[in-house]
Amino acid sequence: MKLSNFYWVLPKFFLTFLLAISIPFSIIADNNDKPNVIIFFVDDLGWVDTGVTGSDLYNTPNIDRLAKEGMLFTDAYSSSTICSPTRASLMTGMAPERTRVTDWIDGHWVNQGEAWRAERPLQPPVWTAKLELHHHTIADLLSENGYRTAHIGKWHLTPRSNDPEIVEPYYPHNRGFEVNISGNQWGAPGSYFWDYRRSGLDGLESRVANFPPEKETKGLYLTNMKTNHVVRLIQEWQNEPFFINFSYYQVHTPIQGRPDMVHYYQQILDSGEDFLHTDPEYAAMVEAVDRSVGRVHAKLEELGLDDNTLIIFTSDNGGLDRGDGTPTNNYPLREGKGTAYEGGIRVPMIVRWPGVIPEGTVSEEPVITHDFFPTILEITGAEASSEHFVNLDGVSLMPILENPSVTLDREALYWHYPHYHTQGATPYTAVRAGDWKAIHFYEDDRIELYNLVEDISEVNDLSNEMPEKAEEMRSMIEARRDAVDAQIPITNPLYQDKFEQK
Ligand SMILES: [Ca+2]
């Protein structure tokens, strides 16, 4: 698709699938027929990084098929603009401001030196850089309710350490997952190519620990290795209910596609046409995810399991958009991963469950990662004690899955990021309520106000034009912050010292 055609593609898609008639179905989740659940949780995949959501370059027929056979959410959000907080929210059903996992573990405030920090007027709070052990995860609950459970891929919820005694209690196999392949403290592999190492990064640290013996991995592209194991587990567990969190390292850096696919995309780009997406390595990474999704789907079909399997496909934050079109471009959304704007938090999301979710439907309801926890509990019939529900921020999407014209009884969604990120974020809290979005920036107490329906690119800040609306949204942010006792940044003493020395 050429850039000039972009605005035509989404409306055409919506119209096509909105024509599908939605029919409510009753849910049957008795003990003999519990549905399987597979989450395809892609890392850093942007809102327009699939064919069905608008890419003009990336081939994603298998992901597109999920949308044709399920429900596409146009206004789906990640719980945060970066990795670890969203992952903690997926596991707990709580928002980052409640788990206090508000930055990516190994966050920049930790990594950057004093000179970098001295440039920032605010100091982030002392946040919780791990998923604390007192939290029960969705895998805990499903395993207690008769499910086989596997985490395959990126985890990124352990404390910042290389000491096994410190990190291993936080690994997936100690957080409710029976099987853990390559989930550990790292947020990215050393390399996508076997043996997944690279020099210059803690020596030759592979950053993909806990993976199978060499005979099962040698020579394999990382995504293919993990897909092999997901397919194997489905084969093994075909007669039992299972939950697989397929947590791709793709399409996070390092940007490394398989050479054959990179060559294919390079030839297309060399044709001279004007494309929205222009990085052949990244395109090859997206296609690797798509082929993986296709292989898993084919296995479900082969075993006759696909009708009784709920599939969720989504991303943990917006696409990495450096502003020069690489490695991806989130247009028409503003900016990308690590920022307060839609490019940082709006993500692709598709849910497929034949017989329950009407085919080829679209929901425009704003939804967020922490909604999956209560949704999965309802769908699987898993029982949980009341303590698991006291602090839930997510709500079950089941009413929408049965009928896409339904709207949720929820006033607003919030994003709390009291940190700095090198991609551009300064400390902020944001809210979306209906068509409106407001961002409160802590450095100067400024509010920006956007109407997302009229201005999805967030170019017209209406805060001066509509001060009453801006204040109403500010009040919502303050009330939310108070309700969960959210941590906020403080004045940075390093910055003050620097100022006084001048
Ligand atoms: Ca991410």
Side-chain angles (χ1 to χ4, degrees), residues 42-44 82-83 87 154 252 316-317 337:
V42 190
D43 195 359
D44 289 6
I82 29 82
C83 305
R87 292 160 189 276
K154 175 168 168 175
H252 195 289
D316 71 334
N317 50 248
K337 173 187 180 179

Side-chain angles (χ1 to χ4, degrees), residues 34 90-93 135-149 175-177 243 372-374 376-378 380-389 392:
K34 289 179 177 173
L90 174 69
M91 286 298 120
T92 62
H135 289 301
H136 291 262
T137 69
I138 185 71
D140 283 322
L141 299 183
L142 290 179
S143 59
E144 287 164 12
N145 282 275
Y147 274 72
R148 310 299 299 264
T149 54
R175 307 306 301 269
F177 289 98
F243 168 52
F372 293 137
F373 183 106
I376 291 169
L377 285 190
E378 183 173 352
T380 59
E383 293 177 3
S385 68
S386 59
E387 71 181 276
H388 294 112
F389 296 99
L392 275 192

Side-chain angles (χ1 to χ4, degrees), residues 463-479:
S463 58
N464 289 328
E465 209 173 300
M466 305 180 66
E468 287 182 6
K469 186 70 185 173
E471 284 310 303
E472 177 193 325
M473 303 288 275
R474 181 195 291 270
S475 297
M476 291 177 73
I477 287 172
E478 287 172 354

Side-chain angles (χ1 to χ4, degrees), residues 200-324:
L201 194 78
D202 291 351
L204 284 172
E205 174 61 66
S206 81
R207 296 202 163 193
V208 184
N210 208 50
F211 61 80
E214 181 176 315
K215 63 183 173 53
E216 296 178 29
T217 63
K218 190 170 184 180
L220 293 178
Y221 190 63
L222 179 58
T223 307
N224 296 1
M225 181 273 276
K226 289 189 298 181
T227 309
N228 290 350
H229 286 276
V230 171
V231 167
R232 175 181 60 77
L233 287 170
I234 293 171
Q235 178 76 37
E236 279 180 26
W237 293 348
Q238 61 179 297
N239 296 319
E240 300 170 85
F242 58 79
F243 168 52
I244 297 176
N245 186 33
F246 194 171
S247 182
Y248 292 89
Y249 282 97
Q250 302 270 28
V251 290
H252 195 289
T253 57
I255 305 301
Q256 297 171 325
R258 272 176 37 187
D260 56 330
M261 293 191 208
V262 175
H263 178 69
Y264 166 81
Y265 284 107
Q266 189 60 61
Q267 284 186 316
I268 293 174
L269 291 163
D270 287 345
S271 69
E273 271 193 72
D274 198 12
F275 287 93
L276 171 69
H277 291 138
T278 56
D279 187 330
E281 295 271 356
Y282 187 86
M285 293 177 82
V286 174
E287 182 165 340
V289 170
D290 183 78
R291 292 191 189 187
S292 167
V293 168
R295 280 189 59 204
V296 173
H297 198 160
K299 188 66 184 177
L300 294 170
E301 287 183 306
E302 175 197 321
L303 298 174
L305 298 175
D306 72 316
D307 281 355
N308 194 35
T309 300
L310 172 83
I311 291 174
I312 297 170
F313 177 92
T314 194
S315 173
D316 71 334
N317 50 248
L320 179 57
D321 182 342
R322 298 190 175 111
D324 62 355

Side-chain angles (χ1 to χ4, degrees), residues 291-432:
R291 292 191 189 187
S292 167
V293 168
R295 280 189 59 204
V296 173
H297 198 160
K299 188 66 184 177
L300 294 170
E301 287 183 306
E302 175 197 321
L303 298 174
L305 298 175
D306 72 316
D307 281 355
N308 194 35
T309 300
L310 172 83
I311 291 174
I312 297 170
F313 177 92
T314 194
S315 173
D316 71 334
N317 50 248
L320 179 57
D321 182 342
R322 298 190 175 111
D324 62 355
T326 66
T328 198
N329 187 332
N330 297 320
Y331 184 86
L333 303 185
R334 180 171 172 179
E335 301 189 6
K337 173 187 180 179
T339 79
Y341 299 102
E342 291 289 287
I345 50 175
R346 204 185 281 218
V347 290
M349 176 178 149
I350 302 164
V351 186
R352 177 190 187 273
W353 189 15
V356 176
I357 298 174
E359 286 188 8
T361 42
V362 174
S363 170
E364 296 179 344
E365 180 72 6
V367 298
I368 196 161
T369 315
H370 36 272
D371 292 337
F372 293 137
F373 183 106
T375 304
I376 291 169
L377 285 190
E378 183 173 352
I379 284 170
T380 59
E383 293 177 3
S385 68
S386 59
E387 71 181 276
H388 294 112
F389 296 99
V390 170
N391 292 320
L392 275 192
D393 294 299
V395 301
S396 174
L397 303 179
M398 201 58 231
I400 298 177
L401 298 181
E402 292 179 294
N403 180 355
S405 62
V406 163
T407 56
L408 298 172
D409 181 21
R410 171 160 60 189
E411 184 183 37
L413 296 175
Y414 296 89
W415 295 265
H416 183 65
Y417 188 71
H419 304 278
Y420 289 93
H421 193 285
T422 50
Q423 290 298 326
T426 62
Y428 73 89
T429 305
V431 58
R432 175 165 177 187

